[in-house]
Amino acid sequence: MINLSAYEHDGFAISSPIFDEDDLTVMRGAVDSLHQRALSGNEPDLSDACVFERAQPARKRNGRELAVDQDAVFILGDPTRFDPGLLKFIIDTQLTGIVAQALGTADIVLHFANITSKAPKIGSGISWHRDFPNKYICPAEPEMLRIMICLDGMQTDNGATAFVTGSHKSSISANEVPANDPCILTAQCAPGAIVAIHPLVLHGGTPNASALQRRNLVLQWGVAECPLMTEARESVTGMTPAEMVAQLSSHQTA
């Protein structure tokens, strides 16, 4: 579980690892396979679900331009559509328990999933932002949170997510955060750990200029009774853990 006091005070909380090395090996292999398939261009639907590094401006890499033969997947949307086996980890009872703990109810639904990666040497940074409201899949009220399953762990060198602690309780804007703000904390964690992110906390991250991988499976969960104000864009949108268990079982027996 997470430290709920830290989540409520700082706007984020980190669990101890809930996935072991065997699970991480499976997830990393699935992510790498999806990335290779997307980069091949042989599956248009999969490639269309991706944001590629080559589409990102150099300023997101501190001015570094990509070589002609360089590219990587930055964000891959709706990953269970292309690899249903990943549902096993999304519906892990420790993970859904963390979600229920943070939201204060077990009546939860998944809004979307993606794989956000900062590739070694060329991974783009992410500007300061809040997850609520957003233009992609957004509930009517901030009765949601995002969860990161950290497949490689996060550290400063590989572009770990940073948070302006307490900003979920203030009106400070993303443009008002000074670089040396003492409230900025970096979420450093071990592989297999979970980072729970309050919908109103400002967070972002530097580029990955290191040789280290930084692959995260990102999930947005919400309270079931809180309606979405945007289109239900993904195959998992609105599904309960029980419904995803049934979907995974159907896939495994097919």
Side-chain angles (χ1 to χ4, degrees), residues 6 8 12 29 32 70 84 95 101 106 110 131 162 168 170 174 179 214 232:
E8 293 173 346
F12 77 101
D32 290 348
Q70 278 185 308
L95 187 150
Q101 179 191 14
L110 188 64
D131 292 333
H168 59 306
S170 77
R214 206 220 77 166

Side-chain angles (χ1 to χ4, degrees), residues 66-134:
L66 295 183
V68 173
D69 60 346
Q70 278 185 308
D71 202 1
V73 178
F74 181 35
I75 299 174
L76 189 154
D78 206 2
T80 61
R81 175 185 169 197
F82 305 101
D83 186 345
L86 287 170
L87 283 167
K88 172 186 175 181
F89 307 103
I90 293 174
I91 58 176
D92 178 87
T93 54
Q94 291 185 84
L95 187 150
T96 56
I98 289 171
V99 175
Q101 179 191 14
L103 291 178
T105 177
D107 192 14
I108 58 175
V109 293
L110 188 64
H111 291 164
F112 72 79
N114 73 46
I115 298 163
T116 298
S117 304
K118 294 184 178 181
K121 302 291 187 182
I122 63 170
S124 289
I126 298 174
S127 302
W128 292 118
H129 67 283
R130 290 180 167 92
D131 292 333
F132 180 93
N134 70 77

Side-chain angles (χ1 to χ4, degrees), residues 3-254:
N3 183 329
L4 193 57
S5 294
Y7 178 79
E8 293 173 346
H9 182 269
D10 295 331
F12 77 101
I14 304 171
S15 78
S16 57
I18 69 170
F19 295 106
D20 62 23
E21 192 58 36
D22 288 342
D23 288 334
L24 291 170
T25 297
V26 172
M27 283 190 275
R28 292 168 186 153
V31 168
D32 290 348
S33 176
L34 286 169
H35 283 180
Q36 291 166 10
R37 289 163 54 190
L39 287 163
S40 75
N42 295 328
E43 300 176 63
D45 286 351
L46 175 54
S47 296
D48 287 346
C50 294
V51 176
F52 294 95
E53 281 293 345
R54 186 156 292 283
Q56 303 307 298
R59 60 178 172 77
K60 286 195 170 186
R61 295 182 292 274
N62 288 339
R64 288 176 292 130
E65 298 283 355
L66 295 183
V68 173
D69 60 346
Q70 278 185 308
D71 202 1
V73 178
F74 181 35
I75 299 174
L76 189 154
D78 206 2
T80 61
R81 175 185 169 197
F82 305 101
D83 186 345
L86 287 170
L87 283 167
K88 172 186 175 181
F89 307 103
I90 293 174
I91 58 176
D92 178 87
T93 54
Q94 291 185 84
L95 187 150
T96 56
I98 289 171
V99 175
Q101 179 191 14
L103 291 178
T105 177
D107 192 14
I108 58 175
V109 293
L110 188 64
H111 291 164
F112 72 79
N114 73 46
I115 298 163
T116 298
S117 304
K118 294 184 178 181
K121 302 291 187 182
I122 63 170
S124 289
I126 298 174
S127 302
W128 292 118
H129 67 283
R130 290 180 167 92
D131 292 333
F132 180 93
N134 70 77
K135 296 179 180 179
Y136 185 57
I137 297 179
C138 190
E141 302 292 337
E143 296 183 2
M144 53 163 272
L145 83 163
R146 289 192 187 167
I147 291 284
M148 295 191 296
I149 304 175
C150 301
L151 305 189
D152 305 292
M154 292 197 299
Q155 53 191 276
T156 301
D157 287 349
N158 71 350
T161 301
F163 295 85
V164 182
T165 59
S167 57
H168 59 306
K169 300 177 181 178
S170 77
S171 59
I172 184 173
S173 75
N175 297 324
E176 295 174 331
V177 182
N180 60 349
D181 191 327
C183 292
I184 295 175
L185 288 181
T186 300
Q188 302 193 60
C189 62
I194 299 298
V195 181
I197 304 173
H198 192 283
L200 299 179
V201 72
L202 281 167
H203 57 290
T206 59
N208 181 9
S210 77
L212 303 171
Q213 291 275 9
R214 206 220 77 166
R215 296 162 290 193
N216 288 345
L217 180 55
V218 179
L219 313 169
Q220 181 174 299
W221 292 88
V223 175
E225 64 183 18
C226 187
L228 292 179
M229 299 300 290
T230 51
E231 181 183 353
R233 300 171 184 270
E234 296 196 2
S235 60
V236 292
T237 301
M239 294 184 72
T240 66
E243 289 170 332
M244 285 183 279
V245 168
Q247 182 171 313
L248 177 61
S249 178
S250 175
H251 166 71
Q252 292 173 334
T253 57

